[in-house]
């Protein structure tokens, strides 16, 4: 995992809002925003401005703070599922390596 600094994170905010981001970047982005109050603040503002403008044009009613929270939760959940799938994959690989090793030992002995 690559640690992002504030400058990098700020540049990614638009991409995050527009869903134009790969999983690895999104993961790093959320990690940083979780820990960094000033980037979280910046994300809220940009989200409110971007999404708020669209909504005004559409004439929808909205609760943007709630929407941002739910977007972040959805993304985080999605990434956690992905990550646990990856971890599962690694575990399977480790297990088959161990099995191969055990078989090798039994053959040699
Ligand atoms: Zn930051």
């Amino acid at each position: 995992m690559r640690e992002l600094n504030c400058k990098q994170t700020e540049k990614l905010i638009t991409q995050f809002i527009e869903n134009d981001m790969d999983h690895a970047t999104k993961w790093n982005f959320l990690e940083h925003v979780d820990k960094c109050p000033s980037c979280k603040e910046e994300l809220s503002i940009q989200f409110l401005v971007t999404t708020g403008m669209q909504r005004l044009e559409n004439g929808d009613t909205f609760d943007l703070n709630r929407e941002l929270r739910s977007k972040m939760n959805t993304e985080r959940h999605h990434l956690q599922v992905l990550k646990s799938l990856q971890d599962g994959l690694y575990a399977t690989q480790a297990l088959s390596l161990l099995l191969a090793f055990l078989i090798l030992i039994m053959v040699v002995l």
Side-chain angles (χ1 to χ4, degrees):
M1 188 177 297
R2 192 166 55 94
E3 291 270 335
L4 294 174
N5 63 33
C6 291
K7 249 199 164 84
Q8 293 166 320
T9 305
E10 276 172 33
K11 279 187 195 156
L12 291 169
I13 289 176
T14 323
Q15 278 169 259
F16 177 75
I17 293 172
E18 286 167 3
N19 278 321
D20 179 22
M21 194 180 263
D22 61 69
H23 292 309
T25 312
K26 199 179 277 175
W27 182 267
N28 294 328
F29 178 84
L30 285 173
E31 283 280 300
H32 182 94
V33 171
D34 265 345
K35 282 184 251 158
C36 178
S38 81
C39 286
K40 192 176 225 158
E41 171 94 25
E42 186 63 30
L43 171 63
S44 313
I45 293 168
Q46 291 207 29
F47 182 81
L48 294 183
V49 171
T50 313
T51 315
M53 292 300 277
Q54 285 165 5
R55 291 309 164 82
L56 282 176
E57 280 168 19
N58 298 338
D60 294 345
T61 52
F62 49 85
D63 178 352
L64 290 174
N65 272 316
R66 196 178 52 81
E67 278 190 33
L68 176 58
R69 270 201 307 280
S70 101
K71 176 176 169 63
M72 289 181 71
N73 284 336
T74 310
E75 300 288 3
R76 196 172 292 124
H77 179 73
H78 184 191
L79 287 170
Q80 267 158 2
V81 171
L82 266 179
K83 193 165 184 292
S84 59
L85 277 177
Q86 276 170 351
D87 288 348
L89 223 61
Y90 293 140
T92 315
Q93 280 170 350
L95 203 69
S96 42
L97 265 176
L98 188 70
L99 247 141
F101 188 64
L102 282 175
I103 290 168
L104 193 71
I105 289 177
M106 287 195 305
V107 170
V108 171
L109 294 179

